[in-house]
Amino acid sequence: MKYIKRSIIAILAAGISFGFAEQLDVEKDELKFGFIKLTDCAPIVIAKEKGFFDDEGLSVSVIAQPNWKTLLDNVINGELDGAHMLSGQPIAATIGFGTKAHIITAFTMDLNGNGITVSNGIWEQMQENDEALDTERPAHPITADALVPVVEEKLEEGEKLQMGMVFPVSTHNYELRYWLAASGIHPGMYTETDKGGRTDAQVELSVTPPPMMPAVLEAGNIQGYCVGEPWNQQAVAKGIGVPVTTNYDVWKNNPEKVFGVSASWAEENPNTHLAVVKALIRAGKWLDETDASGTLVNRIEAARILSRPDYVGADFDVIKNSMTGFFYFQKTDKRPMPDFNVFYKYHCTYPWYSDGIWFLTQMRRWGQITESKPASWYHETAKEVYKPDVYLTAAKMLLEEGNIDKSDIPWNTDGYKPATSEFIDGITYDGRDPIGYLNSHDIGNKDSLESLASLN
Amino acid sequence: MKYKILKALDVAGLQFLDPVVRLICGEEPKVQLSKIGRFIVVPVIAFVVFLWAWGYVAPKHATKSGEVPTPSVVANAADGIWIFHKRENVKSRDYLLQGERKNTSLKKAQERLVIVLEEEKKASSLVTEAQGALSERIAQLQEPHKRELEELKALNKSVSQERKTALSNLAESVSEDSVGEKEAYLEALRDHNRLSDQEKESEKLISAKIDEIAGMKYQPLIDARFELKLVAEEKQFLQKRIEYLSKNNRSEKVAEYEAKLGEYKATLASATGKELERTGSRILRQEERIERVADSSYAQPWTFPRQIKRSLMCVFFGFILASMIAIPIGILCGLSSVFMAAMTPFIALFKPVSPIVWLPIALIVVGGFIPDPDKHWFIGAINSIPIIGAYDLNPAFIASAITVALCSLWPTLVNTALGVASIDRDHINVARVLRLGFWSRLFKIVIPSALPLIFAGLRISLGVGWMVLIAAELLSSSEGIGKFVWDMFNNGSSDSFAQMFVVVFVVGLIGMILDRTMIVFQRLVSFDEAPTSI
């Protein structure tokens, strides 16, 4: 780690003395990046297609991966240089939940962008339970309250409602759990022996790769799922399910995907890493560009690019909805959601420590981290994974090249976002106090301060 | 001449052309015509009938996941795949173009772009028009149903209200100790609930109709969108192409760097001390960069035709590996009944194992041997072989090839053993009389007489390998037909279904060609003119 810092400082020094107008001296110029077929892979695809990688002297291939596990394995074994990753993946890999490997990130790719979809049958039952939902345009946010009787009825029949998410450490898993638990439905705990996370579950969650979700829902193996786009809009387009809520309502402007590389790769290729982050920041900016009236101007083109078969490949008209800031909750219920995908606004590309800590608290809450940890551990782990130094160095170069504005980047932050209570249940999250946050929930693990005191 | 051609056709397994040749030579026209009818006309008619039946049945069978594509939709999909491939090739060529040819291409692309931009405008206005027409039509069609639904809802509401009042009146009137009256009340309540359910059901029927209308297919809109998609894709392609012909062209980049290098060299002339140090290292780095860019190439994505080639390579790798294992072991099995007895349990045990099981094992084993593929000598070595190297062989490729080998070696092994074991006794006796040594007996007697059966085994092996490969690639995500299938399935676009059908025909066709090729080999080594099955 020290090595990285030192090399960055060295580069900075070199940069200052040489002037920034020059291209970085990349160690490796033919790169392979992996992605999963989701619209939030856009920054990587756009950086390639709009020539931002070319501008840095990089020749990049972008390769679709079949699932998150294979993607991570390919980054670890060096088959890929970097990838579009779930925020939880670098953290989980670094602390050794699942495959152990030191993965770092210096770039957050986007905010929001997920939805929770239930099957038509469940939606009808929810409407029966709550009259307010029984209209063409029910009021949002929709909590899981109307789902409680459905879950209970199932339990009485000796069955459990089955829902899908995309990976054990994915945002989707935590968001779905958060949404259920906020209404008092227990989504199950991970334990030492139960790696499936179903202990005490009232609703059982299982892993399905994103592109398979609609097919599995239609086949009846699951009754609902939480996944990124375009797979919620796909369910609406095919008439097999109803998106009840988006993660914008579960947690407003939550971090979603990051660009992850292995620590050893970053160590061997510090300049390449900087060049890549530079290109990605520019791609994010391009994606969020608006005209005077606030319309996203580049999103149609982005949707067209993403609909290419070697990228996301879904129909343009399906991708277009969410990418241009609209979301169909039912065929008759199209609503504007300008912040459904945020790629640049709100300082979102910065690798916030507080984002990492939120994921750590969720891992602890649901038992993926089996032991109590002191607050200091949360801060240290986040710092091991999130690398704002690299990000700021890259941003500084872009600023001097005139590619971004000074106000686009939070230059003087300590890496923690201000506390927020914009969650569906209104609980306040402050990244500086992970233990307090953990203890503010009813369902899930809590860490008493005494037991932590004994650890220290 | 005639007989030579006939013989060649026979060996090549193209006997169906036999009567054509004979007819041309004027040999028994009647007989030949009836043969042509049977072997050429009948299959062609069958295929045409198949296409017709397909085109007729497909549109009638719609699922939520998409419609079964008609032959013309499949042809369109095939076209799309091909265009994508061609465009990527063009970009890759453009990147390397220089001088006059680059400029003419650039000019052509720019001219074309102007036209395409115009077309895009037209196409998108057509889409808006069609969309407007569709929503108008939907509203028109929904109108009566909506009215009906509203009326029904109002009616149901009033009826339900009436029943509710009646019920509460009834509840008022029930005396405290009359069991019968309470039973009657419960009965009435039950009736009420049943009727409410029925009413809801009838409302749902109408809403379902409304929904159905909302989801109606409108051919002009579909066509307009398709048109727009084609144009928009071409626009994107042209814009990218222009980039690769101008600022992102290799020669342009090199020129730019060289200009920079010239500047540095100019400073170097006057530099001393610290300045000299800095400029010196700058120059060296710039030279390195130029060298790197000068032999760089466009990062071309995998397209279907390239994936097919890689799949073929993978199947041959696996097939050769399988043959290298199966033939020697098979020969030993045939020669020695003891060895055969020793091998039997393994053959019986491993033969039925599915590729889905072999693949993860192969992946783990290969991954264990090649932890860091970029730096491993073996991967480096095979990727430096000229033509093969262009296909980026990686551990996933090797694992897929091994899986193919493990699944396909059994027919060859068993057939070889059988072939060797059933050599004519006389031949063995002759060998004994001639006092041939082990090796000459092996190469002069055993292998030649077992060859027809060995090749029969190889032919089956290759077929099995080709079938297994697709599954292996799909699982290992090694670039190839299997990965293409998986990617297209994952796209979940309206084209996906049709693209699968394209794959069906491509895989079938290649499998057929492979099989035919093996038949030729088998015939060439069969000295007894034994007929081979089709």
Side-chain angles (χ1 to χ4, degrees):
Chain A
M1 271 326 83
K2 270 189 192 142
Y3 175 80
I4 291 189
K5 251 190 192 152
R6 230 186 297 134
S7 57
I8 286 163
I9 291 165
I11 292 159
L12 254 184
I16 289 159
S17 57
F18 280 101
F20 279 115
E22 230 171 274
Q23 239 176 29
L24 281 159
D25 266 307
V26 294
E27 294 81 4
K28 193 173 177 193
D29 60 350
E30 287 188 6
L31 302 172
K32 283 190 229 164
F33 293 150
F35 74 101
I36 297 284
K37 289 178 177 279
L38 293 166
T39 52
D40 53 19
C41 69
I44 298 181
V45 171
I46 293 304
K48 175 175 163 65
E49 286 295 322
K50 297 308 291 179
F52 300 138
F53 284 135
D54 289 324
D55 289 350
E56 301 296 329
L58 301 170
S59 164
V60 175
S61 318
V62 182
I63 304 163
Q65 303 293 306
N67 55 59
W68 292 110
K69 167 95 173 78
T70 311
L71 174 134
L72 182 64
D73 286 347
N74 281 340
V75 170
I76 294 170
N77 69 25
E79 189 59 42
L80 295 173
D81 294 291
H84 162 229
M85 281 189 192
L86 296 158
S87 288
Q89 273 187 309
I91 303 171
T94 302
I95 64 174
F97 179 78
T99 319
K100 167 118 181 129
H102 191 176
I103 305 286
I104 62 166
T105 174
F107 180 78
T108 304
M109 290 175 64
D110 66 320
L111 305 180
N112 309 326
N114 297 331
I116 297 175
T117 294
V118 297
S119 67
N120 293 332
I122 298 288
W123 176 240
E124 270 170 29
Q125 290 180 43
M126 283 174 75
Q127 285 180 319
E128 276 170 30
N129 296 331
D130 184 352
E131 297 255 318
L133 299 181
D134 199 0
T135 67
E136 279 193 357
R137 289 173 74 88
H140 281 188
I142 297 174
T143 64
D145 290 346
L147 192 67
V148 177
V150 183
V151 172
E152 281 167 357
E153 215 170 279
K154 275 259 180 189
L155 283 174
E156 278 163 19
E157 288 166 16
E159 281 175 46
K160 287 178 181 173
L161 202 68
Q162 301 290 327
M163 293 186 96
M165 44 87 183
V166 306
F167 200 64
V169 297
S170 68
T171 343
H172 317 83
N173 186 14
Y174 304 130
E175 279 159 3
L176 189 52
R177 280 165 186 272
Y178 202 102
W179 185 68
L180 292 170
S183 296
I185 302 171
H186 200 304
M189 299 290 291
Y190 291 83
T191 65
E192 204 75 74
T193 47
D194 180 6
K195 299 291 180 204
R198 295 182 178 172
T199 304
D200 299 332
Q202 287 175 306
V203 170
E204 290 191 337
L205 308 187
S206 54
V207 171
T208 307
M212 296 284 293
M213 286 290 186
V216 177
L217 183 76
E218 195 183 5
N221 297 356
I222 54 175
Q223 283 83 43
Y225 58 69
C226 180
V227 73
E229 271 313 299
W231 308 111
N232 295 295
Q233 294 300 279
Q234 194 82 281
V236 178
K238 288 179 177 173
I240 56 182
V242 178
V244 283
T245 188
T246 63
N247 60 344
Y248 185 78
D249 283 334
V250 177
W251 176 16
K252 191 174 160 190
N253 288 339
N254 61 86
E256 180 53 35
K257 300 288 184 328
V258 295
F259 178 76
V261 298
S262 74
S264 54
W265 182 89
E267 221 167 283
E268 284 168 26
N269 308 292
N271 284 349
T272 316
H273 196 190
L274 275 176
V276 171
V277 172
K278 274 174 77 182
L280 289 174
I281 293 175
R282 285 179 69 194
K285 183 178 159 74
W286 185 86
L287 278 162
D288 266 10
E289 217 130 278
T290 51
D291 59 11
S293 64
T295 320
L296 296 157
V297 286
N298 288 329
R299 294 290 184 91
I300 293 261
E301 188 181 347
R304 193 58 86 179
I305 293 173
L306 287 173
S307 68
R308 261 176 54 171
D310 54 334
Y311 298 136
V312 179
D315 288 342
F316 166 72
D317 290 285
V318 173
I319 294 179
K320 192 184 74 183
N321 294 339
S322 65
M323 279 299 278
T324 52
F326 290 94
F327 199 80
Y328 278 93
F329 287 90
Q330 297 178 56
K331 272 191 182 147
T332 49
D333 183 2
K334 180 183 181 182
R335 303 187 192 201
M337 286 202 73
D339 282 352
F340 185 81
N341 280 118
V342 177
F343 293 105
Y344 194 65
K345 278 186 284 185
Y346 313 127
H347 296 161
C348 84
T349 51
Y350 184 93
W352 296 95
Y353 293 139
S354 52
D355 291 347
I357 291 171
W358 188 80
F359 287 102
L360 285 167
T361 60
Q362 297 308 300
M363 288 177 194
R364 175 64 192 134
R365 181 182 179 191
W366 301 116
Q368 291 175 332
I369 298 171
T370 47
E371 305 143 13
S372 298
K373 303 274 187 188
S376 57
W377 179 84
Y378 286 87
H379 300 299
E380 280 159 21
T381 310
K383 282 173 189 166
E384 238 174 90
V385 176
Y386 285 76
K387 299 294 172 197
D389 302 354
V390 179
Y391 176 86
L392 287 175
T393 315
K396 188 140 189 271
M397 294 179 187
L398 287 173
L399 182 66
E400 306 213 350
E401 288 165 14
N403 282 319
I404 55 172
D405 295 330
K406 187 144 198 221
S407 59
D408 292 349
I409 306 292
W411 298 101
N412 297 316
T413 175
D414 60 349
Y416 291 85
K417 281 185 192 165
T420 172
S421 54
E422 284 172 320
F423 287 87
I424 197 161
D425 54 2
I427 289 177
T428 304
Y429 167 65
D430 182 358
R432 293 179 184 82
D433 179 19
I435 308 295
Y437 179 64
L438 203 50
N439 291 338
S440 57
H441 294 288
D442 289 335
I443 299 179
N445 279 330
K446 290 188 201 9
D447 285 331
S448 67
L449 295 170
E450 296 88 72
S451 71
L452 287 174
S454 68
L455 278 175
N456 284 340
Chain B
M1 182 62 197
K2 181 174 105 186
Y3 288 102
K4 256 190 192 160
I5 294 174
L6 288 180
K7 175 80 183 151
L9 285 179
D10 185 45
V11 171
L14 300 170
Q15 290 98 331
F16 68 92
L17 291 176
D18 199 87
V20 180
V21 175
R22 285 182 199 265
L23 185 66
I24 290 167
C25 299
E27 185 186 318
E28 294 178 288
K30 248 195 180 156
V31 180
Q32 305 314 333
L33 278 177
S34 91
K35 273 192 186 166
I36 288 176
R38 204 169 343 136
F39 294 121
I40 298 177
V41 178
V42 170
V44 167
I45 289 176
F47 199 75
V48 170
V49 169
F50 163 73
L51 283 181
W52 173 81
W54 176 12
Y56 178 75
V57 173
K60 298 200 166 12
H61 186 79
T63 67
K64 277 181 183 164
S65 306
E67 273 165 24
V68 178
T70 55
S72 67
V73 175
V74 172
N76 265 346
D79 216 30
I81 294 171
W82 182 244
I83 288 177
F84 182 67
H85 171 68
K86 269 201 317 209
R87 287 189 177 158
E88 287 307 322
N89 277 350
V90 169
K91 278 191 229 169
S92 147
R93 230 185 9 249
D94 285 348
Y95 178 69
L96 306 179
L97 276 186
Q98 41 186 325
E100 199 42 50
R101 288 185 55 202
K102 189 190 79 181
N103 293 338
T104 45
S105 296
L106 181 62
K107 217 170 126 212
K108 246 197 241 157
Q110 278 162 337
E111 277 162 12
R112 176 77 194 144
L113 184 63
V114 174
I115 302 172
V116 167
L117 284 176
E118 207 47 51
E119 279 176 5
E120 194 194 17
K121 258 189 224 145
K122 250 186 259 159
S124 76
S125 73
L126 271 182
V127 168
T128 338
E129 223 170 80
Q131 249 161 353
L134 174 64
S135 40
E136 213 170 273
R137 199 151 148 210
I138 286 177
Q140 214 174 24
L141 285 172
Q142 278 179 339
E143 172 59 30
H145 293 293
K146 275 196 173 154
R147 214 171 325 124
E148 193 186 349
L149 182 65
E150 250 165 56
E151 279 163 18
L152 187 67
K153 267 191 175 162
L155 178 71
N156 284 345
K157 209 171 181 184
S158 69
V159 173
S160 157
Q161 203 54 48
E162 260 170 47
R163 281 202 310 265
K164 269 187 200 155
T165 2
L167 269 174
S168 47
N169 286 343
L170 187 62
E172 287 293 323
S173 68
V174 170
S175 53
E176 199 187 326
D177 49 352
S178 161
V179 181
E181 275 177 24
K182 283 185 180 168
E183 285 285 335
Y185 172 76
L186 278 183
E187 198 50 47
L189 191 62
R190 221 167 264 145
D191 269 347
H192 167 69
N193 282 349
R194 195 167 43 81
L195 287 173
S196 301
D197 279 350
Q198 275 176 7
E199 284 157 8
K200 254 200 192 141
E201 217 41 58
S202 61
E203 282 171 19
K204 251 187 215 161
L205 275 180
I206 300 179
S207 337
K209 260 186 218 155
I210 294 177
D211 283 349
E212 201 188 309
I213 294 170
M216 72 187 273
K217 251 177 73 177
Y218 185 54
Q219 202 54 41
L221 181 60
I222 296 175
D223 293 343
R225 278 193 176 149
F226 184 70
E227 221 29 68
L228 177 62
K229 182 182 142 191
L230 290 185
V231 179
E233 275 172 5
E234 189 174 356
K235 179 184 92 174
Q236 236 174 52
F237 161 67
L238 287 170
Q239 285 172 338
K240 201 77 199 157
R241 204 179 156 197
I242 289 170
E243 255 176 52
Y244 281 115
L245 284 168
S246 51
K247 78 176 170 75
N248 280 335
N249 185 275
R250 188 167 79 173
S251 59
E252 296 279 323
K253 273 198 206 168
V254 170
E256 186 193 325
Y257 291 158
E258 263 166 2
K260 263 255 167 78
L261 185 65
E263 273 173 40
Y264 293 155
K265 284 200 170 145
T267 9
L268 185 75
S270 62
T272 50
K274 270 263 178 286
E275 177 80 27
L276 178 67
E277 270 177 43
R278 213 166 1 173
T279 323
S281 61
R282 260 182 184 180
I283 288 177
L284 292 189
R285 269 184 298 161
Q286 197 67 12
E287 279 171 354
E288 253 173 52
R289 192 180 283 161
I290 291 171
E291 203 173 301
R292 219 171 38 210
V293 172
D295 56 33
S296 65
S297 58
Y298 167 68
Q300 197 176 3
W302 285 94
T303 52
F304 193 43
R306 284 183 73 213
Q307 283 170 321
I308 292 173
K309 284 185 212 155
R310 197 168 188 266
S311 280
L312 278 171
M313 214 148 73
C314 192
V315 87
F316 279 114
F317 256 65
F319 176 64
I320 290 167
L321 191 65
S323 315
M324 285 188 330
I325 300 170
I327 295 175
I329 294 182
I331 290 173
L332 286 178
C333 282
L335 287 178
S336 146
S337 56
V338 178
F339 190 76
M340 175 71 127
M343 291 307 292
T344 306
F346 296 105
I347 298 174
L349 190 65
F350 293 136
K351 203 168 81 169
V353 176
S354 141
I356 315 284
V357 186
W358 285 126
L359 183 89
I361 299 176
L363 268 179
I364 295 169
V365 172
V366 173
F369 277 112
I370 307 176
D372 198 352
D374 264 357
K375 290 171 193 124
H376 197 269
W377 63 268
F378 182 67
I379 300 287
I382 46 176
N383 274 326
S384 60
I385 304 171
I387 296 165
I388 297 176
Y391 289 90
D392 185 26
L393 308 193
N394 54 8
F397 178 91
I398 299 171
S400 309
I402 290 177
T403 306
V404 167
L406 285 172
C407 291
S408 68
L409 61 86
W410 310 107
T412 308
L413 202 162
V414 173
N415 265 20
T416 309
L418 180 69
V420 173
S422 56
I423 297 173
D424 203 330
R425 277 282 121 200
D426 294 344
H427 291 163
I428 306 274
N429 290 339
V430 171
R432 276 218 191 102
V433 170
L434 292 177
R435 297 190 168 202
L436 289 179
F438 175 78
W439 294 111
S440 23
R441 202 162 63 179
L442 189 64
F443 286 108
K444 296 241 157 71
I445 308 283
V446 174
I447 294 183
S449 47
L451 263 186
L453 267 172
I454 293 178
F455 269 86
L458 286 175
R459 179 182 158 204
I460 303 171
S461 280
L462 190 58
V464 171
W466 183 239
M467 241 161 42
V468 162
L469 175 77
I470 314 283
E473 281 176 340
L474 192 148
L475 271 183
S476 68
S477 74
S478 160
E479 291 294 345
I481 298 176
K483 173 109 189 311
F484 178 83
V485 169
W486 192 235
D487 281 350
M488 293 308 121
F489 173 64
N490 277 349
N491 282 350
S493 74
S494 47
D495 281 348
S496 294
F497 222 153
Q499 281 155 339
M500 298 292 150
F501 276 74
V502 175
V503 174
V504 167
F505 286 105
V506 169
V507 170
L509 196 71
I510 294 176
M512 192 175 84
I513 293 169
L514 289 180
D515 194 58
R516 290 277 138 184
T517 321
M518 286 310 287
I519 289 182
V520 175
F521 283 120
Q522 198 183 340
R523 295 220 140 206
L524 286 177
V525 298
S526 303
F527 40 81
D528 56 354
E529 297 291 320
T532 32
S533 58
I534 310 164

PDB file of all heavy atoms in Angstrom, chain B residues 246-260:
ATOM      1  N   SER B 246      -9.121   9.258 -38.988  1.00  0.00           N
ATOM      2  CA  SER B 246      -8.475  10.559 -38.795  1.00  0.00           C
ATOM      3  C   SER B 246      -7.617  10.563 -37.527  1.00  0.00           C
ATOM      4  O   SER B 246      -6.528  10.021 -37.522  1.00  0.00           O
ATOM      5  CB  SER B 246      -9.524  11.666 -38.784  1.00  0.00           C
ATOM      6  OG  SER B 246     -10.562  11.353 -37.886  1.00  0.00           O
ATOM      7  N   LYS B 247      -8.165  11.072 -36.430  1.00  0.00           N
ATOM      8  CA  LYS B 247      -7.254  11.324 -35.312  1.00  0.00           C
ATOM      9  C   LYS B 247      -6.804  10.064 -34.597  1.00  0.00           C
ATOM     10  O   LYS B 247      -5.739  10.043 -34.004  1.00  0.00           O
ATOM     11  CB  LYS B 247      -7.885  12.324 -34.336  1.00  0.00           C
ATOM     12  CG  LYS B 247      -8.943  11.761 -33.409  1.00  0.00           C
ATOM     13  CD  LYS B 247      -9.391  12.842 -32.454  1.00  0.00           C
ATOM     14  CE  LYS B 247     -10.598  12.485 -31.640  1.00  0.00           C
ATOM     15  NZ  LYS B 247     -10.610  11.634 -30.586  1.00  0.00           N
ATOM     16  N   ASN B 248      -7.636   8.991 -34.648  1.00  0.00           N
ATOM     17  CA  ASN B 248      -7.220   7.778 -33.953  1.00  0.00           C
ATOM     18  C   ASN B 248      -6.559   6.755 -34.863  1.00  0.00           C
ATOM     19  O   ASN B 248      -6.376   5.608 -34.484  1.00  0.00           O
ATOM     20  CB  ASN B 248      -8.414   7.140 -33.254  1.00  0.00           C
ATOM     21  CG  ASN B 248      -8.719   7.838 -31.945  1.00  0.00           C
ATOM     22  OD1 ASN B 248      -7.826   8.445 -31.366  1.00  0.00           O
ATOM     23  ND2 ASN B 248      -9.953   7.776 -31.504  1.00  0.00           N
ATOM     24  N   ASN B 249      -6.232   7.171 -36.068  1.00  0.00           N
ATOM     25  CA  ASN B 249      -5.549   6.272 -36.981  1.00  0.00           C
ATOM     26  C   ASN B 249      -4.118   6.022 -36.509  1.00  0.00           C
ATOM     27  O   ASN B 249      -3.495   6.887 -35.905  1.00  0.00           O
ATOM     28  CB  ASN B 249      -5.547   6.903 -38.375  1.00  0.00           C
ATOM     29  CG  ASN B 249      -4.956   5.979 -39.388  1.00  0.00           C
ATOM     30  OD1 ASN B 249      -3.747   5.951 -39.558  1.00  0.00           O
ATOM     31  ND2 ASN B 249      -5.794   5.207 -40.040  1.00  0.00           N
ATOM     32  N   ARG B 250      -3.638   4.829 -36.781  1.00  0.00           N
ATOM     33  CA  ARG B 250      -2.317   4.493 -36.267  1.00  0.00           C
ATOM     34  C   ARG B 250      -1.237   5.411 -36.828  1.00  0.00           C
ATOM     35  O   ARG B 250      -0.408   5.929 -36.085  1.00  0.00           O
ATOM     36  CB  ARG B 250      -1.991   3.029 -36.581  1.00  0.00           C
ATOM     37  CG  ARG B 250      -0.723   2.570 -35.903  1.00  0.00           C
ATOM     38  CD  ARG B 250      -0.591   1.083 -35.968  1.00  0.00           C
ATOM     39  NE  ARG B 250      -0.121   0.667 -37.284  1.00  0.00           N
ATOM     40  CZ  ARG B 250       0.203  -0.594 -37.568  1.00  0.00           C
ATOM     41  NH1 ARG B 250       0.069  -1.534 -36.660  1.00  0.00           N
ATOM     42  NH2 ARG B 250       0.623  -0.918 -38.757  1.00  0.00           N
ATOM     43  N   SER B 251      -1.318   5.632 -38.134  1.00  0.00           N
ATOM     44  CA  SER B 251      -0.256   6.443 -38.726  1.00  0.00           C
ATOM     45  C   SER B 251      -0.317   7.872 -38.190  1.00  0.00           C
ATOM     46  O   SER B 251       0.716   8.512 -37.966  1.00  0.00           O
ATOM     47  CB  SER B 251      -0.375   6.430 -40.253  1.00  0.00           C
ATOM     48  OG  SER B 251      -1.632   6.944 -40.626  1.00  0.00           O
ATOM     49  N   GLU B 252      -1.558   8.372 -37.969  1.00  0.00           N
ATOM     50  CA  GLU B 252      -1.702   9.729 -37.419  1.00  0.00           C
ATOM     51  C   GLU B 252      -1.070   9.801 -36.031  1.00  0.00           C
ATOM     52  O   GLU B 252      -0.377  10.753 -35.695  1.00  0.00           O
ATOM     53  CB  GLU B 252      -3.185  10.099 -37.310  1.00  0.00           C
ATOM     54  CG  GLU B 252      -3.895  10.164 -38.633  1.00  0.00           C
ATOM     55  CD  GLU B 252      -3.639  11.483 -39.343  1.00  0.00           C
ATOM     56  OE1 GLU B 252      -3.560  12.505 -38.663  1.00  0.00           O
ATOM     57  OE2 GLU B 252      -3.493  11.466 -40.587  1.00  0.00           O
ATOM     58  N   LYS B 253      -1.379   8.771 -35.235  1.00  0.00           N
ATOM     59  CA  LYS B 253      -0.842   8.773 -33.875  1.00  0.00           C
ATOM     60  C   LYS B 253       0.675   8.771 -33.914  1.00  0.00           C
ATOM     61  O   LYS B 253       1.331   9.535 -33.194  1.00  0.00           O
ATOM     62  CB  LYS B 253      -1.319   7.517 -33.138  1.00  0.00           C
ATOM     63  CG  LYS B 253      -2.666   7.674 -32.472  1.00  0.00           C
ATOM     64  CD  LYS B 253      -2.794   6.565 -31.446  1.00  0.00           C
ATOM     65  CE  LYS B 253      -4.220   6.204 -31.163  1.00  0.00           C
ATOM     66  NZ  LYS B 253      -4.309   4.959 -30.397  1.00  0.00           N
ATOM     67  N   VAL B 254       1.220   7.897 -34.759  1.00  0.00           N
ATOM     68  CA  VAL B 254       2.673   7.812 -34.840  1.00  0.00           C
ATOM     69  C   VAL B 254       3.245   9.162 -35.271  1.00  0.00           C
ATOM     70  O   VAL B 254       4.227   9.657 -34.701  1.00  0.00           O
ATOM     71  CB  VAL B 254       3.094   6.695 -35.817  1.00  0.00           C
ATOM     72  CG1 VAL B 254       4.576   6.763 -36.085  1.00  0.00           C
ATOM     73  CG2 VAL B 254       2.719   5.337 -35.254  1.00  0.00           C
ATOM     74  N   ALA B 255       2.581   9.787 -36.262  1.00  0.00           N
ATOM     75  CA  ALA B 255       3.069  11.075 -36.758  1.00  0.00           C
ATOM     76  C   ALA B 255       3.073  12.101 -35.626  1.00  0.00           C
ATOM     77  O   ALA B 255       4.036  12.862 -35.451  1.00  0.00           O
ATOM     78  CB  ALA B 255       2.185  11.553 -37.908  1.00  0.00           C
ATOM     79  N   GLU B 256       1.977  12.076 -34.847  1.00  0.00           N
ATOM     80  CA  GLU B 256       1.854  13.031 -33.751  1.00  0.00           C
ATOM     81  C   GLU B 256       3.004  12.836 -32.747  1.00  0.00           C
ATOM     82  O   GLU B 256       3.660  13.787 -32.325  1.00  0.00           O
ATOM     83  CB  GLU B 256       0.510  12.789 -33.065  1.00  0.00           C
ATOM     84  CG  GLU B 256       0.151  13.776 -31.982  1.00  0.00           C
ATOM     85  CD  GLU B 256      -1.023  13.263 -31.172  1.00  0.00           C
ATOM     86  OE1 GLU B 256      -1.912  12.610 -31.770  1.00  0.00           O
ATOM     87  OE2 GLU B 256      -1.026  13.476 -29.956  1.00  0.00           O
ATOM     88  N   TYR B 257       3.230  11.575 -32.401  1.00  0.00           N
ATOM     89  CA  TYR B 257       4.288  11.294 -31.442  1.00  0.00           C
ATOM     90  C   TYR B 257       5.651  11.668 -32.002  1.00  0.00           C
ATOM     91  O   TYR B 257       6.527  12.151 -31.294  1.00  0.00           O
ATOM     92  CB  TYR B 257       4.297   9.811 -31.045  1.00  0.00           C
ATOM     93  CG  TYR B 257       3.098   9.405 -30.228  1.00  0.00           C
ATOM     94  CD1 TYR B 257       2.708   8.070 -30.160  1.00  0.00           C
ATOM     95  CD2 TYR B 257       2.368  10.339 -29.513  1.00  0.00           C
ATOM     96  CE1 TYR B 257       1.614   7.696 -29.415  1.00  0.00           C
ATOM     97  CE2 TYR B 257       1.269   9.969 -28.767  1.00  0.00           C
ATOM     98  CZ  TYR B 257       0.895   8.641 -28.722  1.00  0.00           C
ATOM     99  OH  TYR B 257      -0.170   8.281 -27.985  1.00  0.00           O
ATOM    100  N   GLU B 258       5.794  11.435 -33.292  1.00  0.00           N
ATOM    101  CA  GLU B 258       7.088  11.732 -33.890  1.00  0.00           C
ATOM    102  C   GLU B 258       7.359  13.226 -33.905  1.00  0.00           C
ATOM    103  O   GLU B 258       8.495  13.672 -33.699  1.00  0.00           O
ATOM    104  CB  GLU B 258       7.185  11.119 -35.286  1.00  0.00           C
ATOM    105  CG  GLU B 258       7.911   9.785 -35.196  1.00  0.00           C
ATOM    106  CD  GLU B 258       7.791   8.923 -36.429  1.00  0.00           C
ATOM    107  OE1 GLU B 258       7.162   9.350 -37.420  1.00  0.00           O
ATOM    108  OE2 GLU B 258       8.328   7.800 -36.384  1.00  0.00           O
ATOM    109  N   ALA B 259       6.281  13.978 -34.132  1.00  0.00           N
ATOM    110  CA  ALA B 259       6.431  15.435 -34.096  1.00  0.00           C
ATOM    111  C   ALA B 259       6.930  15.865 -32.705  1.00  0.00           C
ATOM    112  O   ALA B 259       7.856  16.674 -32.583  1.00  0.00           O
ATOM    113  CB  ALA B 259       5.093  16.104 -34.409  1.00  0.00           C
ATOM    114  N   LYS B 260       6.289  15.267 -31.700  1.00  0.00           N
ATOM    115  CA  LYS B 260       6.698  15.549 -30.320  1.00  0.00           C
ATOM    116  C   LYS B 260       8.161  15.202 -30.120  1.00  0.00           C
ATOM    117  O   LYS B 260       8.933  15.949 -29.503  1.00  0.00           O
ATOM    118  CB  LYS B 260       5.855  14.694 -29.361  1.00  0.00           C
ATOM    119  CG  LYS B 260       4.664  15.412 -28.778  1.00  0.00           C
ATOM    120  CD  LYS B 260       4.901  15.787 -27.318  1.00  0.00           C
ATOM    121  CE  LYS B 260       3.861  16.772 -26.830  1.00  0.00           C
ATOM    122  NZ  LYS B 260       2.585  16.139 -26.523  1.00  0.00           N
TER     123      LYS B 260
END
